[in-house]
Amino acid sequence: MMRVSDNPRRRRIWLLSIGIALVLLVAAGLWLATRVLVAKDGLEAAAATASEIPGLIRSGDTGGAVEAARSFESHIQSARGATSDPIWRAAEWIPGIGSDLAAVRGMSDVAAELATDSVLPLAETLGSIDIASFGFVDGRIDVTPLAAAAPVLATANGVMQKAVEQIGALPTPSLPPVQSALARFREIAAESAAVVDGLDRAAAVLPAMVGADGPRTYLLLVLNNAEVRTYGGIAGAGAVLRFDDGRITIDRQFSSSDFKKSPTPVIDLSPGTIALFDDHPARFIQNTTSSFDFSEAAASAAALWARQTGEEVDGVIALDAVTISAMLEATGPVQAGPFTLDATNAVDTLLSTVYAQIIDPSMQDEAFALVARSVFETLAAGKADVGVLLSSLGRSVSEQRVHVWSSHPEEEKRIAGTPLATILPPDRDAATVGVFFNDVTGAKLDYYATPSTSVLVDSCGATPRATVTVDWTNTVPTDAATSLPDYVIGPELTVAARGDTLTRVAVAGPTGWLPTDYSFDGGQIGVQSAQFDDRAVIQHEFVTAPGGSHRIVVEFRAPEGASHDEIPLEVVSTPLVHPNVVTITHETCA
């Protein structure tokens, strides 16, 4: 009888237990849902704020950067608080949503560390610096504030680089919104890390490079985009810049015609450079910028200068005519002989008008040098808008139009790996394809070149592939033979008709990828193949008539065992007057 009478009681206890468990489960679910919303709102707000910080720092709005950093920290701490309780951690074991919850918590933890140990201290340090103090004041560059910020920058940079690695190691979420959030977080972190890394490197090398520890001398090369080379154009003109305790003076100007060709190479070129360009980059100043490696190009230019003048330099700075135009946004108009140049007309004047109105080639180069001199004298006099200058130079650096090399190994080590160092960076977060152009005509007709590049990435097959299509269009006037000066047309040594151009296009695959197929204008003809470091390069030389165009297609195959995830890929290319328009698409797998 006791057992019978106990059954209803046990049943009630059992049902009550289930009910309590259900209530607790529902409560935990509601709590988790609330926490998810709080974390979502915090992360989204933090991402929006964080995306503003690099631009604020680059533009010189340090006060705005501090305010944004504090807001970023507040939003992130809210998200971290929402993801750090026991219920959240327990839910990470639930199949289907566990990886998403773990990814969200991971993002919150990494971002919180970034906010506390990097973003906020860095923004507050930079916020105490008047951006104008980085400018040219009374002929002197004051880098004292940047040097004072070096310890904070070094610490912040270390935290940033570690965070990028941690983000890359987070679990792969399954829900599209979380996937998108993680991808955006990675993008913002990578961009921010690049900005901080650049500032850290600048703080480490800039004081010495501008003469804080003793006088420095640099060779300034002004590249002429009308006669294209890998880095933008021939070194047509330039100047010698001297820095002493931040004071800048222009010692002398020069033209490429001032250099005599060297009968033998002045430096040992890499096997890849010799395979592509023979030994010309080490014998002719005009061809130094053909090499894919700027440290090689700059060392060659410095050695040619030493051979010509007996003077050793501490480094080489190269910038093109488009960068000169960008700098005029900050300096205002300058005078170069009969020409008044500003940001709106400098490129057309230097690369077209000068040739039409000045017959003597040495005087044409002199116009280039005069403009460069006027720009730097204006900067030295403190008459430039520093915020505009930093913005315009930043744009030119991102377009691969400005490069710097130091003959001092420790400084060069810090410059290496930045956009200033090379046009073909090592593959890191993405597979990199290089598309480079070199003129063989000896003309100034590349002012009219309009290239474009498209890449189709196919990760669907057994081995990922990338098909690179380069279109080269020549918009030279059809009456060029009679309407353009002889110096622009060039000598009739390499082409059959006046106005034709002879151009080399080199397509470099990602590191370790191999070329498997190619075509030129739809057919297969002889091409040159070479190895540049760990990259395979296909190069072809072709003639283009005025108004004509050509297409070269190269297919590369990834190494065996490469990941079949969607491959991030980027294209770097020779900077011309008209940028190489790049399109990247990914094949849709069945």
Side-chain angles (χ1 to χ4, degrees), residues 487-575:
Y487 186 66
V488 175
I489 294 294
E492 294 182 61
L493 301 176
T494 56
V495 293
R498 287 169 56 84
D500 288 357
T501 57
L502 182 61
T503 308
R504 287 176 183 163
V505 57
V507 182
T511 300
W513 292 48
L514 296 176
T516 56
D517 198 8
Y518 66 87
S519 67
F520 180 75
D521 288 346
Q524 283 202 333
I525 58 175
V527 295
Q528 180 184 8
S529 62
Q531 194 75 14
F532 193 88
D533 293 336
D534 294 328
R535 297 177 185 273
V537 182
I538 295 294
Q539 180 168 265
H540 184 58
E541 187 173 287
F542 54 89
V543 175
T544 310
S549 63
H550 294 288
R551 168 174 288 184
I552 184 169
V553 180
V554 183
E555 181 184 275
F556 293 96
R557 184 189 67 210
E560 294 295 333
S563 171
H564 280 69
D565 294 337
E566 184 171 289
I567 299 171
L569 187 141
E570 62 182 17
V571 175
V572 294
S573 182
T574 295

Side-chain angles (χ1 to χ4, degrees), residues 105 126 179 206 282 285-286 303 324 350 419 457 474 544 573 580:
R105 179 173 59 81
L126 295 177
Q179 292 173 352
L206 194 57
I285 187 68
Q286 298 92 334
I324 293 289
L350 290 173
V457 183
N474 180 340
T544 310
S573 182
N580 185 1

Side-chain angles (χ1 to χ4, degrees), residues 327-336 339-343 345 374-375 378:
M327 294 173 73
L328 290 173
E329 296 174 8
T331 65
V334 298
Q335 197 70 27
F339 303 105
T340 301
L341 287 87
D342 58 31
N345 69 4
S374 297
V375 167
T378 302

